[in-house]
């Protein structure tokens, strides 16, 4: 496989104020240094914030929703609901176990997509119409609740814990608990120390806290399917 240097970039991921600048070359061509880059559909920024990614997916989702409004002008609520769930909602949920936001601004930015979709599906655009009532009528939970209910991050950690994905746990900042306590099962991990709220709400610190609070019978599920099922039962 040959890489096209014109389509490759260099990005330095760090929160340090003083950064080391280095020119990277590929086939004798100096790569452009960028502050954000897309990887598997997720925009990664140099400071490891998700603002740019959320802005990108919201922009794309709004464009797709506008396309539906222009080209799918029908009165079938069911058909428009199907179109939204198939073409718009996946755009704002792809990979959310990684970038699940915790700031009110980003959460609201995502929720506005579904609120606009509710107006489109029910064809109610008057400014006095209650979008909350529309969402209740449609039976749509908030996108934040959907992210919480999917428990995608816990499922990923379960796969890592049981070596079901090609990720070496020795190369990640979590370590098994060596001293058992009454509040944590023997399969728990030490919660990484966080000096910033951004790190505290990132994948490993947030997911490990949830993992350690799970009942032991959930942790010992023999398969991913059983794990997800027991997670649902635990929530209910």
């Amino acid at each position: 496989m040959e890489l096209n240097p014109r389509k490759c970039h260099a990005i330095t991921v760090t929160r340090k104020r003083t950064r080391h600048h280095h020119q990277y070359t590929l086939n004798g061509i100096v790569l452009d240094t960028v502050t954000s880059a897309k990887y598997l559909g997720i925009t990664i920024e140099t400071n490891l914030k998700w603002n740019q990614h959320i802005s990108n997916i919201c922009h794309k989702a709004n464009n797709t929703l506008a396309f539906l409004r222009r080209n799918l002008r029908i009165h079938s609520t069911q058909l428009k609901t199907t179109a939204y769930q198939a073409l718009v909602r996946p755009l704002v949920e792809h990979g959310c176990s990684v970038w699940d936001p915790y700031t009110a601004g980003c959460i609201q930015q995502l929720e506005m997509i579904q609120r606009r979709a509710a107006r489109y599906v029910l064809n109610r655009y008057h400014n006095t119409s209650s979008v909350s009532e529309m969402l209740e009528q449609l039976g749509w939970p908030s996108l934040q609740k959907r992210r919480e209910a999917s428990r995608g991050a816990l499922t990923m950690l379960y796969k890592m814990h049981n070596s079901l994905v090609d990720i070496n746990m020795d190369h990640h900042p979590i370590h098994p608990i060596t001293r058992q306590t009454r509040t944590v099962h023997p399969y728990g991990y030490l919660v990484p120390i966080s000096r910033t709220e951004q790190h505290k709400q990132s994948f490993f610190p947030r997911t490990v806290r949830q993992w350690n609070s799970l009942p032991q019978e959930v942790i010992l599920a023999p398969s991913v399917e059983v794990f997800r099922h027991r997670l649902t039962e635990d929530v209910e």
Side-chain angles (χ1 to χ4, degrees), residues 32-46:
D32 293 331
T33 301
V34 296
T35 57
S36 64
K38 185 175 291 187
Y39 180 71
L40 298 179
I42 297 179
T43 302
I44 300 175
E45 296 183 69
T46 58

Side-chain angles (χ1 to χ4, degrees), residues 7 21 32 65 69 99 104 108 114 129 136-137 140 143 150 166-167 171 180 199 205-206 209 221 230 233:
K7 297 182 179 180
H21 298 281
D32 293 331
L65 188 58
R69 288 182 58 180
W99 53 263
Q108 181 64 17
Q114 181 154 271
S129 300
E136 185 176 351
Q137 177 183 341
W140 292 357
L143 296 178
S150 69
D166 190 17
I167 297 178
H171 295 165
Q180 187 174 352
H199 182 267
R206 180 195 290 190
R209 289 194 297 270
R230 293 182 182 178
E233 290 182 335

Side-chain angles (χ1 to χ4, degrees), residues 128-141:
T128 60
S129 300
S130 172
V131 181
S132 298
E133 291 180 1
M134 298 183 204
L135 294 172
E136 185 176 351
Q137 177 183 341
L138 292 168
W140 292 357

Side-chain angles (χ1 to χ4, degrees), residues 100-112:
D100 186 7
Y102 67 94
T103 60
C106 288
I107 293 173
Q108 181 64 17
Q109 192 176 357
L110 291 164
E111 295 299 337
M112 289 302 297

Side-chain angles (χ1 to χ4, degrees), residues 4 22 53 64 74 79 97 103 141 176-177 194 208:
N4 186 347
H22 181 77
H53 173 71
T64 304
I74 57 176
L79 185 54
S97 60
T103 60
I177 291 177
S194 302
V208 166

Side-chain angles (χ1 to χ4, degrees), residues 9-40:
H9 307 283
I11 180 172
T12 302
V13 179
T14 179
R15 297 183 73 249
K16 293 182 179 180
R17 295 182 178 179
T18 303
R19 302 182 180 183
H20 297 286
H21 298 281
H22 181 77
Q23 284 190 337
Y24 294 90
T25 61
L26 182 62
N27 296 336
I29 299 178
V30 178
L31 299 180
D32 293 331
T33 301
V34 296
T35 57
S36 64
K38 185 175 291 187
Y39 180 71
L40 298 179

